[in-house]
Amino acid sequence: MKTLRYLAVAAFAAGMMAAPASATTFIFKSGGAFRDDPTNVGNIVNDCGTIGTDLCTDNDAEGFDYSKDGIEFTAIAYTNGDPTTLIQDIYPDNSGLGAISEDDQTQDQIQFSAQESVEFTFTNDVWLSNIEFNAGNDTDCSNPGSEGPCGDFNLYIDNVFFATITAVDLLADTFFGSVFRFEPVTDGAGFTIAQFDVSDVPVPAALPLLISGLAGLGFASRRKKSA
């Protein structure tokens, strides 16, 4: 019985230690043919930011859906916990996904002052990494423009607080889960999310063998007891 228990733990550990598979990059800033646009085109309007260029949500609660290489997720912006207009700012250059401020519609960052946030909900658990942040006004975090610096944010994973992190040009850390919420916490600051990498969680090659071994041990144990 102890052997069976040890192998069960080993199988679980093998699954937990699986490395991320090859990553898929989603690009929300201006990138021409490389940019990823929402798949739910019926919810896209072009009446915010630069008229006729940037993409905004019509039904804010629906958000924007994205899909590539079998990976799917929905992005929704919030103000004080209620859905607000999500903008995919693509003109003229470095911006990305932000929220249209209820107080000042020229502000398209995800901002602390407006109590805004953005949430990404994936259809399954994924590894999220290499997150690029911009400062709004088509500038990098390292060179903020008129909309202010990027500042810090609280990251919630699967609705549980994970950490307070500084938004930088490229955050190379890797996070695991299915729901990721970014909430700015620095007064006078905010950011857009320009792109990130996503990897599905692979099944380790050894896991099927371990499971088969567990099944075999269980069967042998039952036969021994029967004898």
Side-chain angles (χ1 to χ4, degrees):
M1 197 64 177
K2 284 185 179 179
T3 302
L4 185 62
R5 209 161 30 233
Y6 292 152
L7 280 174
V9 171
F12 176 77
M16 292 301 291
M17 291 187 296
S22 57
T24 295
T25 301
F26 286 89
I27 301 174
F28 310 111
K29 63 182 181 179
S30 179
F34 299 104
R35 188 182 71 237
D36 296 291
D37 290 341
T39 57
N40 53 338
V41 294
N43 200 42
I44 298 175
V45 291
N46 300 108
D47 60 354
C48 62
T50 303
I51 296 175
T53 302
D54 297 328
L55 312 178
C56 292
T57 50
D58 185 18
N59 179 348
D60 297 336
E62 182 181 335
F64 281 156
D65 296 334
Y66 296 88
S67 178
K68 183 196 287 187
D69 297 340
I71 297 174
E72 299 178 355
F73 65 90
T74 298
I76 299 178
Y78 294 92
T79 297
N80 290 311
D82 295 322
T84 192
T85 302
L86 176 69
I87 178 173
Q88 184 170 346
D89 188 345
I90 57 178
Y91 181 85
D93 191 13
N94 287 341
S95 207
L97 290 176
I100 294 294
S101 173
E102 302 290 339
D103 303 320
D104 182 358
Q105 296 207 353
T106 66
Q107 301 285 332
D108 54 13
Q109 296 171 305
I110 307 158
Q111 295 182 309
F112 170 77
S113 58
Q115 296 298 295
E116 294 168 341
S117 63
V118 65
E119 185 172 85
F120 300 90
T121 302
F122 291 81
T123 54
N124 56 274
D125 287 336
V126 298
W127 299 93
L128 189 70
S129 63
N130 294 324
I131 307 169
E132 179 185 338
F133 295 91
N134 285 319
N137 200 39
D138 305 301
T139 57
D140 298 331
C141 290
S142 56
N143 184 33
S146 61
E147 292 184 44
C150 290
D152 298 338
F153 65 92
N154 286 339
L155 174 63
Y156 291 82
I157 300 178
D158 296 335
N159 299 313
V160 176
F161 173 74
F162 179 80
T164 299
I165 303 171
T166 299
V168 293
D169 291 345
L170 180 63
L171 182 64
D173 294 354
T174 300
F175 309 100
F176 176 77
S178 60
V179 182
F180 303 87
R181 185 167 78 251
F182 298 79
E183 294 185 354
V185 296
T186 302
D187 194 17
F191 51 82
T192 62
I193 297 178
Q195 66 180 59
F196 50 56
D197 290 344
V198 183
S199 300
D200 274 326
V201 181
V203 175
L207 191 56
L209 294 176
L210 284 168
I211 293 173
S212 297
L214 288 173
L217 279 173
F219 178 71
S221 176
R222 286 196 298 273
R223 287 190 61 185
K224 185 176 180 181
K225 286 182 180 179
S226 298

